[in-house]
Amino acid sequence: MSKVKIGRAADLEEGGTLTFQFTRNGKPTDGFLARFHGELVAYENRCRHLPLKLDYDDGRFFSRDGNHFLCQTHNAIYEPLTGLCVQGPCEGESLKSLKIEVIKGYIWLVLD
Ligand code: FES
């Protein structure tokens, strides 16, 4: 198990997001953090429809109403707290969640 520091919890306000990269099995992998309803969540930044990032490298993950994550390519809609796609071409599938821990105000990505 290894841990990678990815940011400060205090920097992520409600509705805020932060993208990061990490290495998994020797491959660079994109991830994102978000705060929704006070909770911090982290997922691989990879849509379940096609292997594309949800954002267009602009850090925009939330839908206009702020209630869901939205894939900008074909508009798949995901629940922020579970990662479940509730509408769109990959409905019923889920974003890959990433394990995080907050220690002394810093957010750490925990890799198996
Ligand atoms: S790539 Fe995300 S909905 Fe098609």
Side-chain angles (χ1 to χ4, degrees):
M1 188 179 76
S2 63
K3 292 183 183 178
V4 183
K5 193 190 283 185
I6 49 179
R8 285 188 345 140
D11 291 341
L12 221 61
E13 297 175 349
E14 180 66 25
T17 62
L18 176 72
T19 58
F20 58 91
Q21 272 204 331
F22 61 101
T23 303
R24 174 173 272 167
N25 301 326
K27 290 185 187 162
T29 305
D30 293 291
F32 71 99
L33 273 169
R35 191 182 291 278
F36 181 74
H37 289 184
E39 303 261 344
L40 283 171
V41 293
Y43 296 100
E44 282 191 20
N45 187 3
R46 190 176 163 103
C47 188
R48 295 313 303 262
H49 175 218
L50 296 174
L52 300 171
K53 294 179 187 175
L54 272 67
D55 65 332
Y56 282 153
D57 286 326
D58 58 7
R60 288 196 301 142
F61 290 90
F62 280 103
S63 55
R64 276 179 202 264
D65 64 8
N67 290 325
H68 294 91
F69 295 139
L70 175 70
C71 176
Q72 294 191 38
T73 303
H74 306 116
N75 301 322
I77 292 175
Y78 295 92
E79 288 182 345
L81 294 181
T82 65
L84 178 68
C85 178
V86 292
Q87 189 180 316
C90 42
E91 188 173 335
E93 297 187 58
S94 294
L95 295 172
K96 275 197 179 168
S97 69
L98 297 171
K99 188 173 177 196
I100 52 172
E101 288 179 357
V102 178
I103 302 169
K104 293 183 178 172
Y106 285 94
I107 306 163
W108 293 80
L109 174 66
V110 181
L111 298 167
D112 293 329

